[in-house]
Amino acid sequence: MKEFWQRFARNRGAVVGLVILIGVIFLALFGPALYPESPWRMTAPPFQPPLEHPGAYFGTDTLGRDIAAGLVHGARVSMLVGLVSTTVALGIGVALGAMAGYFGGVVDNAIMRFVEFFQTIPSVVLAIVLVAVLQPSIESIVIAIAIVSWPPVARLVRGEFLSLRSREFVEAAVIAGQSNARIIFSQILPNTLSPIIVMASLMVATAILLESAISFLGLGDRNLMSWGYMIGAARTVLREAWWMSVFPGVAILLTVLSLNLVGEGLNDALNPRLARKGR
Amino acid sequence: MAILEFVGRRLFWAIFVILGIVILNFILLRLAPGDPAAIMAGQSGATDPEYIAQLRVQFGLDQPLYMQLLTYIRDVAMLDLGMSGRQQVPVIDLIARRLPATLLLTITAYFLSLGLGVLLGVLAARRVGKWQDSVITVLALLAYATPLFWIGLMLILLFSVTLGWLPAYGMRTTGAGLTGMAYVLDILHHLILPMVTLGLFYMAVYARLARASMLEVADQDYIKTAVAKGLPDGRVTRAHMLRNAVLPVISFAGFQAGHLVGGAVLVETVFAWPGIGRLAFDALLQRDYNVLLGVFLFTAIMVIIFNIITDIIYTLVDPRIEVGR
Amino acid sequence: MFRRAAFMASAAAVIGVAASAYADEPKRGGQLSAIINPEPPILMLGLNQQGPTQAVAGKIYQSLLTYDFDLNPMPSLAREWEVADDGLTYTFHLQEGVTWHDGEAFTAADAVFSLDEFLPETHPRWRQLYRNVASIDAPDDHTLVIELEEPFPAFIMAFETASAPMIPKHLYEGTDYRDNEWNQTPIGTGPFKFEEWNRGSSIHLVRNDDYWKDGKPYLDEIYFEVIPDAASRVTALETQRVHMSRGEDIEFFDVPRVAQLDHLEVTTQGWEMFAPHAWLEFNVREEPISDKRFRQAVMHAIDREFILNNIFFGSGNVATGPISSSTLFYDDNVPEYEYDPDRARELLDEMGLEPDGNGVRTELRLLPIPYGEAWDRLGEYVRQQLIEVGIQTDLEAADAGTWAERVANWDYDMTFNYLYQYGDPAIGVSRSYISDNIQRGTLFTNTMGYENEEVDRLFEEAAREIDPERRQELYTEVQQILVEEVPVGWLIELEFPTIYDVRFENLVTTAIGTNETYDDVYIAE
């Protein structure tokens, strides 16, 4: 563990990312205590630039709602959408991809047909259709994002498994009579972790971005203040009120950035050891 | 021969995939509340039950659902995608009119992102830890972390509104009566912003993937052996690393075909690009079932072809994988 | 009639423009590029009357009359007309020398076909009006006589282009109207002919060289450009790629900024015929909404001045009641609902809706109308204002399909809507409040389920009354009753801006605004 941390800490970007990420998570967990009032409340005159109106340090939006309150409450929504949908998508994708790549043959064929099935429908379009069919709400958005995000994971894991399946160390384990489950979990899966981690970090980001795209197209949850919603609502006043879209944009950017940096740090910390241990 | 057989088998499967997609989407769309008759009536400012009933008959919505599905599958089998209920135009015409715009946008964006992305990724991996790596990594991270439509709006703000260099929307200058070379240049002029917007995001993805897998491969023993054998750095990159590093990129690029169409919905919305992404979104909001099904069918076929090509390339790059397994 | 001073002032401003138009001779030539959004599904005006369809097809098709800003009828395809003293016989004398775009002559037979056969089958609004009709005849090629069953003075308001477009008999008679191939290449009598439609991109109309008004139109061609994104639409105007926007093309908050640009001009005239009236619609079948005190409380909880200024950015007036101030028979002598949250709380207390520990008195759903940014903001604002007085409100997002389905089938607690009034309360106002018009599955009926016998009686009597003074008395009474009862919460009389390039003259000259034929439009140098 100590060694892991040392490796992780060697990547300075990762440490910065971790600090930011902890900040965002802290905001998501305890932020609403800082701004206990609803972020939808109109607390100041509309269109106040940052630092203009006392109390509204980040400015106000078209109706006089405090951007800062929106940012704080939005952290929770965006993180929730990102994490929950990614977790679900990873679960489905890794399980199916591993089975396909490991067992090959009929199983692989069946699973890949299933994957293909989902991938032949453009994911953003499918997500939008799903949200429209299920009625726009936070739950339907999470479900839709998860449903469209798992196929790339399955493909990636399958590719890795296919490639690793014919390696000597796996052949050796098969000859040694290890069970399939044991080979999958202790031999192959650890070796696929780093690309999965990289991809997961990208996926959380994609989920947050996809949520904002859904809001942009007017299908977001109207009761929750999310960063995606804030940009969606601000995009038409881009020129009149830059702060309305810049701050939530920066919030998304920082969160996504931190996730990626942390993912890379993990990659650095995990990769060399595991790659060697497998052989 | 093995490849031909493989392609044949895949195409055979593709028919079932497509049939499945038709049925799934058909059912999915009918689960959405509202129908095209109600919407059209709603937008007319005044309606009565007769008007809605007439529209339903006209759209074929008065038939039982399973009959509508069977009719649709039969028509599709005979390469007839039906009529757009709303616009009273064959769906195939609508798609044919919109498809070139989307193909132009997505294919150029695809090659832009793939080419530049892999290039940047490899460059970053070769210069790992140096400033080039940092710059590329930071730029990729930023491009990746910014919403697509937001980049589009920012580019419009800069290049159209402030600088006035590039058109803000559309695909051609309407009413200019351009022909020949001037016409092509006009379209290219309009293409730049949407292409960059759509390509930027995926370029970042490829750069990251290429860099990550290059580094991964570089760490493996056979590369170390190659370096130890004294092969020059450049040859190691080309011969050994690139081939292996490109695998995850290809794996990703294959499914990106579908993704691009999704991204195209957003980009086409921001730039008023008259493609099928926007057609699909409008059709969804208007519940113009046949149009949406037609678009799904088309993109499905496109993606299937892309996937088969990807798998073939995959085999060529990594001989350890046998096709069709 | 009963108009506002502010309205008169803006009318004067446009008359100024018109005066300057006469100063220099209109020039032939040039092209107009206008935004069209959303893209019309079809341009056959007899089959589809959506706003964008009207704007484009209004250049192709014509009707018998048009209307000035005060809603006085003016000639179009009818050069003169008389209404008999008993209010039953309408005689129209048609223009001579009018031809369809394919060269055939337009005669009274076409008018009879349109009004007596085509439109009653396809046009829901005409079908309502047609119920009053006993017979339609053409005694000669240029005379049209319509007999009514009973007096219906609003009938004279029913002849603008979209309400009663003239359809070519020789192309449509005996065919399946909806399947007719001419629907794709519409043929009318208007100053512009259909040329080409690049779906998703643009619609191209060209000058009709055989137009029946000599020397007109002035323009050579009109392009309607389809631009689905609001921000792109503003940019198109700013960068002078297009010359005109209409309706809700430009988001309300952009209007004040765009209005300041030197090359652009803004007018809110040209909507007097439609008078879009926005309201918060209550499903009065539901508890506690069925109690009028609850609806009054909601009215007091909402600051409509704030909505006008911060959501619609001043594009309109606060609505006082069911009839818009630009519609005939408006009366502002009605009860007022000041913004007063305390009064709202009092009313709710009075009803026995006491707040619980979290300050929540009751829970309701609000289904916003998916028609753009301003309407989204309106939903968020109203939700928050209701929460402030203890009405916990859940916003339900919906796309156009969902919204239409749910409102038509009464599956909502509160929603927004806006309806056109078409000049006369008997056409565009009474339909929302009379109990006869409670029809499940149909939008723009009395979807809220409001029933009041007195209101039914007053609207019916007013619709049949020929004497304008007596009509005014009846409509004043019904306005007072309705405002007291609040069957819907009237919010704003919307004024949609037409934003146009200053070089263009006569883009808005009548009460139907940008739906006009544009045979008078020219480019001044």
Side-chain angles (χ1 to χ4, degrees):
Chain A
M1 190 61 210
K2 201 178 161 197
E3 217 172 320
F4 165 83
W5 175 246
Q6 277 170 352
R7 277 177 200 282
F8 184 88
R10 211 173 292 156
N11 184 335
R12 262 179 302 165
V15 177
V16 174
L18 188 63
V19 171
I20 300 173
L21 189 60
I22 289 172
V24 175
I25 292 171
F26 186 83
L27 210 60
L29 291 177
F30 305 108
L34 286 172
Y35 285 88
E37 284 207 27
S38 162
W40 298 100
R41 249 195 115 167
M42 289 146 274
T43 53
F47 282 111
Q48 293 296 309
L51 303 175
E52 199 94 327
H53 187 82
Y57 303 113
F58 287 82
T60 61
D61 74 0
T62 50
L63 295 186
R65 297 173 298 210
D66 190 350
I67 299 289
L71 290 175
V72 165
H73 286 261
R76 181 174 280 192
V77 178
S78 294
M79 288 303 283
L80 198 76
V81 169
L83 290 176
V84 176
S85 60
T86 300
T87 310
V88 177
L90 274 183
I92 307 172
V94 169
L96 291 178
M99 289 203 304
Y102 184 80
F103 293 109
V106 181
V107 178
D108 182 28
N109 241 325
I111 291 175
M112 289 321 285
R113 289 299 88 81
F114 193 56
V115 170
E116 226 166 73
F117 189 78
F118 272 88
Q119 290 204 304
T120 36
I121 310 168
S123 62
V124 173
V125 179
L126 179 59
I128 291 163
V129 171
L130 283 170
V131 172
V133 171
L134 297 172
Q135 303 294 294
S137 71
I138 186 85
E139 294 86 4
S140 65
I141 290 170
V142 165
I143 292 169
I145 294 176
I147 287 179
V148 301
S149 318
W150 68 265
V153 183
R155 267 186 109 83
L156 177 90
V157 171
R158 172 193 179 254
E160 292 288 317
F161 267 65
L162 264 185
S163 171
L164 290 167
R165 180 71 175 83
S166 49
R167 291 275 174 84
E168 301 82 3
F169 70 92
V170 178
E171 302 287 356
V174 173
I175 292 165
Q178 289 188 13
S179 72
N180 285 334
R182 178 130 186 247
I183 297 172
I184 289 177
F185 286 109
S186 70
Q187 303 287 358
I188 307 183
L189 199 56
N191 280 285
T192 63
L193 267 186
S194 63
I196 292 178
I197 287 169
V198 172
M199 183 167 256
S201 67
L202 297 173
M203 279 169 63
V204 175
T206 311
I208 292 174
L209 294 175
L210 192 52
E211 191 269 342
S212 79
I214 290 169
S215 295
F216 170 81
L217 292 171
L219 293 171
D221 189 318
R222 298 294 162 81
N223 295 300
L224 295 170
M225 184 70 86
S226 85
W227 296 333
Y229 158 80
M230 292 173 77
I231 296 180
R235 76 191 170 90
T236 34
V237 280
L238 202 61
R239 273 168 283 187
E240 291 89 348
W242 55 269
W243 59 92
M244 278 176 60
S245 49
V246 164
F247 291 129
V250 169
I252 291 184
L253 200 133
L254 283 177
T255 309
V256 172
L257 203 63
S258 69
L259 282 162
N260 290 335
L261 292 171
V262 168
E264 244 158 60
L266 288 172
N267 191 23
D268 289 358
L270 295 169
N271 192 21
R273 279 174 58 79
L274 289 174
R276 214 155 284 134
K277 205 170 74 179
R279 287 197 193 111
Chain B
M1 272 333 273
I3 285 189
L4 275 183
E5 209 185 298
F6 161 74
V7 171
R9 207 157 9 130
R10 288 292 297 270
L11 285 178
F12 180 71
W13 270 111
I15 292 170
F16 288 94
V17 172
I18 287 171
L19 186 67
I21 284 169
V22 167
I23 295 171
L24 176 85
N25 286 324
F26 189 92
I27 294 168
L28 203 58
L29 293 183
R30 295 310 167 96
L31 288 176
D35 72 26
I39 294 168
M40 209 153 153
Q43 289 167 341
S44 302
T47 65
D48 58 16
E50 281 159 279
Y51 184 59
I52 295 175
Q54 284 168 357
L55 287 175
R56 292 217 165 106
V57 171
Q58 187 193 356
F59 299 158
L61 299 172
D62 53 333
Q63 303 284 321
L65 198 59
Y66 70 92
M67 276 301 292
Q68 295 179 37
L69 178 60
L70 289 179
T71 312
Y72 186 75
I73 291 173
R74 190 197 63 205
D75 290 350
V76 167
M78 296 189 300
L79 302 179
D80 175 6
L81 297 181
M83 296 279 281
S84 155
R86 214 178 141 73
Q87 309 191 13
Q88 288 301 296
V89 175
V91 170
I92 194 85
D93 286 5
L94 281 177
I95 292 179
R97 247 176 283 181
R98 300 287 199 102
L99 194 61
T102 298
L103 285 180
L104 181 66
L105 174 64
T106 49
I107 290 175
T108 50
Y110 182 76
F111 284 111
L112 180 82
S113 61
L114 193 61
L116 272 179
V118 172
L119 191 75
L120 290 176
V122 170
L123 198 70
R126 298 268 326 265
R127 295 276 178 274
V128 64
K130 306 229 171 66
W131 67 267
Q132 294 97 326
D133 180 27
S134 310
V135 169
I136 292 171
T137 306
V138 168
L139 284 182
L141 283 171
L142 290 180
Y144 188 78
T146 323
L148 195 66
F149 50 86
W150 196 73
I151 293 182
L153 291 173
M154 285 295 156
L155 291 177
I156 290 179
L157 208 53
L158 181 61
F159 290 104
S160 303
V161 178
T162 312
L163 297 173
W165 291 351
L166 295 168
Y169 74 93
M171 186 171 162
R172 52 180 82 86
T173 312
T174 23
L178 298 171
T179 49
M181 207 53 209
Y183 179 74
V184 174
L185 285 177
D186 184 49
I187 288 183
L188 289 180
H189 198 215
H190 284 79
L191 177 65
I192 297 172
L193 286 185
M195 178 186 69
V196 169
T197 305
L198 186 57
L200 213 57
F201 179 82
Y202 292 102
M203 192 166 81
V205 176
Y206 288 135
R208 289 176 55 76
L209 273 177
R211 181 181 177 277
S213 50
M214 280 286 286
L215 291 179
E216 172 123 344
V217 174
D219 204 45
Q220 281 167 4
D221 285 348
Y222 65 97
I223 298 294
K224 289 190 172 155
T225 314
V227 176
K229 272 198 307 199
L231 285 177
D233 203 24
R235 280 194 55 199
V236 173
T237 311
R238 274 195 302 277
H240 294 282
M241 290 168 68
L242 193 55
R243 204 175 70 178
N244 291 285
V246 132
L247 280 178
V249 174
I250 291 174
S251 164
F252 193 83
F255 95 93
Q256 198 210 325
H259 246 217
L260 275 170
V261 176
V265 176
L266 293 166
V267 174
E268 286 172 8
T269 302
V270 173
F271 292 98
W273 189 260
I276 58 170
R278 186 68 210 178
L279 180 69
F281 185 65
D282 288 342
L284 170 67
L285 294 190
Q286 312 295 355
R287 305 281 190 270
D288 200 340
Y289 303 127
N290 283 353
V291 173
L292 198 51
L293 286 171
V295 172
F296 274 138
L297 204 66
F298 250 85
T299 50
I301 292 168
M302 262 166 61
V303 173
I304 285 170
I305 293 170
F306 260 83
N307 281 348
I308 293 176
I309 295 172
T310 306
D311 280 356
I312 292 171
I313 296 175
Y314 216 103
T315 326
L316 297 177
V317 176
D318 188 355
R320 284 169 301 180
I321 298 170
E322 293 163 41
V323 284
R325 283 280 298 281
Chain C
M1 299 213 170
F2 299 86
R3 279 167 197 290
R4 293 193 164 183
F7 179 74
M8 291 309 287
S10 65
V14 165
I15 290 164
V17 172
S20 76
Y22 288 110
D24 39 87
E25 190 69 11
K27 283 205 188 67
R28 260 293 313 275
Q31 141 197 338
L32 169 73
S33 289
I35 295 171
I36 199 75
N37 178 70
E39 186 168 22
I42 184 173
L43 294 179
M44 207 295 168
L45 193 54
L47 295 177
N48 183 286
Q49 296 89 34
Q50 284 166 247
T53 311
Q54 293 186 32
V56 180
K59 320 284 174 277
I60 302 171
Y61 293 96
Q62 293 180 302
S63 185
L64 300 179
L65 302 175
T66 186
Y67 301 84
D68 70 11
F69 292 132
D70 295 322
L71 301 178
N72 298 309
M74 304 205 302
S76 181
L77 284 176
R79 75 191 142 76
E80 280 172 43
W81 57 95
E82 301 105 39
V83 183
D85 288 341
D86 62 4
L88 291 175
T89 308
Y90 287 66
T91 309
F92 295 91
H93 304 282
L94 306 184
Q95 308 276 3
E96 315 242 343
V98 178
T99 56
W100 296 101
H101 293 162
D102 62 357
E104 293 281 324
F106 163 80
T107 67
D110 289 304
V112 173
F113 170 74
S114 304
L115 301 177
D116 211 20
E117 289 178 46
F118 191 102
L119 298 176
E121 190 175 322
T122 62
H123 193 309
R125 200 143 43 77
W126 178 258
R127 194 151 42 221
Q128 294 297 320
L129 295 161
Y130 187 69
R131 286 183 188 170
N132 300 291
V133 172
S135 69
I136 303 182
D137 293 299
D140 64 60
D141 271 0
H142 296 99
T143 310
L144 180 76
V145 179
I146 304 178
E147 295 280 349
L148 300 189
E149 300 270 4
E150 278 180 89
F152 185 63
F155 197 62
I156 197 65
M157 303 306 292
F159 295 95
E160 58 91 20
T161 318
S163 302
M166 290 298 116
I167 313 291
K169 180 179 181 182
H170 64 287
L171 299 178
Y172 282 90
E173 191 177 35
T175 67
D176 178 350
Y177 302 149
R178 290 172 190 281
D179 256 356
N180 191 305
E181 60 183 17
W182 291 100
N183 294 344
Q184 297 305 323
T185 48
I187 298 288
T189 58
F192 293 93
K193 297 193 287 187
F194 176 82
E195 175 73 15
E196 198 194 4
W197 187 351
N198 275 313
R199 290 208 186 246
S201 179
S202 64
I203 300 168
H204 185 192
L205 306 183
V206 295
R207 183 176 193 272
N208 173 11
D209 292 328
D210 301 319
Y211 187 52
W212 53 274
K213 287 190 195 170
D214 276 344
K216 291 183 179 181
Y218 300 116
L219 295 174
D220 285 333
E221 51 190 351
I222 302 179
Y223 281 93
F224 287 95
E225 301 215 30
V226 180
I227 312 173
D229 181 62
S232 306
R233 289 196 289 272
V234 185
T235 311
L237 268 182
E238 283 176 306
T239 55
Q240 294 181 268
R241 274 275 306 264
V242 298
H243 309 121
M244 188 182 91
S245 74
R246 47 172 292 287
E248 291 181 275
D249 288 348
I250 303 303
E251 297 279 4
F252 292 103
F253 53 78
D254 266 330
V255 174
R257 180 174 61 82
V258 173
Q260 288 174 357
L261 296 175
D262 286 341
H263 71 279
L264 294 176
E265 195 84 51
V266 180
T267 176
T268 54
Q269 286 196 293
W271 286 88
E272 294 76 10
M273 174 56 85
F274 310 111
H277 213 58
W279 62 58
L280 172 65
E281 190 160 313
F282 299 110
N283 191 342
V284 300
R285 301 168 190 86
E286 310 271 331
E287 294 281 341
I289 303 172
S290 52
D291 190 324
K292 80 174 176 194
R293 286 172 299 180
F294 183 85
R295 306 194 294 265
Q296 289 169 341
V298 170
M299 288 296 271
H300 283 300
I302 297 170
D303 183 355
R304 293 181 289 166
E305 289 289 340
F306 181 93
I307 293 175
L308 177 62
N309 293 323
N310 293 291
I311 296 176
F312 293 101
F313 292 84
S315 295
N317 306 299
V318 169
T320 56
I323 299 180
S324 166
S325 61
S326 52
T327 302
L328 305 175
F329 306 108
Y330 166 76
D331 195 333
D332 66 0
N333 181 23
V334 290
E336 280 183 49
Y337 293 94
E338 296 287 320
Y339 171 53
D340 186 352
D342 288 330
R343 176 77 191 120
R345 290 187 193 96
E346 266 172 46
L347 282 163
L348 294 170
D349 284 340
E350 213 176 281
M351 286 173 64
L353 287 174
E354 301 288 339
D356 68 7
N358 297 319
V360 175
R361 299 167 189 268
T362 180
E363 287 187 33
L364 285 176
R365 303 169 298 165
L366 173 59
L367 182 73
I369 191 168
Y371 284 1
E373 285 275 304
W375 300 95
D376 289 347
R377 295 297 89 76
L378 181 60
E380 292 158 13
Y381 171 80
V382 169
R383 168 178 183 265
Q384 193 57 37
Q385 289 304 108
L386 295 184
I387 287 174
E388 301 286 322
V389 297
I391 304 168
Q392 185 60 41
T393 310
D394 188 30
L395 267 189
E396 303 177 290
D399 60 13
T402 312
W403 180 83
E405 172 86 6
R406 290 187 51 185
V407 174
N409 289 294
W410 312 338
D411 177 19
Y412 69 98
D413 294 340
M414 291 179 286
T415 186
F416 299 109
N417 205 345
Y418 71 85
L419 265 71
Y420 290 171
Q421 304 208 327
Y422 301 109
D424 194 297
I427 300 177
V429 177
S430 62
R431 59 177 174 159
S432 301
Y433 308 102
I434 54 174
S435 58
D436 263 4
N437 206 25
I438 299 178
Q439 301 183 48
R440 191 171 204 139
T442 312
L443 273 178
F444 310 121
T445 56
N446 182 349
T447 40
M448 49 277 187
Y450 175 73
E451 287 179 76
N452 182 326
E453 279 177 24
E454 183 67 2
V455 167
D456 288 352
R457 188 187 62 77
L458 287 167
F459 270 128
E460 174 62 21
E461 203 175 310
R464 301 293 166 206
E465 177 59 57
I466 307 175
D467 175 25
E469 276 175 41
R470 175 67 189 138
R471 277 194 95 192
Q472 182 64 60
E473 282 169 27
L474 293 165
Y475 280 125
T476 296
E477 196 181 341
V478 83
Q479 284 176 82
Q480 284 165 347
I481 296 174
L482 284 173
V483 174
E484 163 71 19
E485 295 245 305
V486 207
V488 302
W490 301 281
L491 299 174
I492 308 289
E493 298 175 351
L494 292 168
E495 290 183 340
F496 292 132
T498 301
I499 306 175
Y500 59 95
D501 193 311
V502 290
R503 293 172 303 144
F504 284 82
E505 300 289 352
N506 296 339
L507 289 169
V508 175
T509 54
T510 67
I512 63 170
T514 55
N515 296 350
E516 198 45 77
T517 59
Y518 278 14
D519 57 10
D520 269 335
V521 172
Y522 68 97
I523 304 172
E525 283 313 319

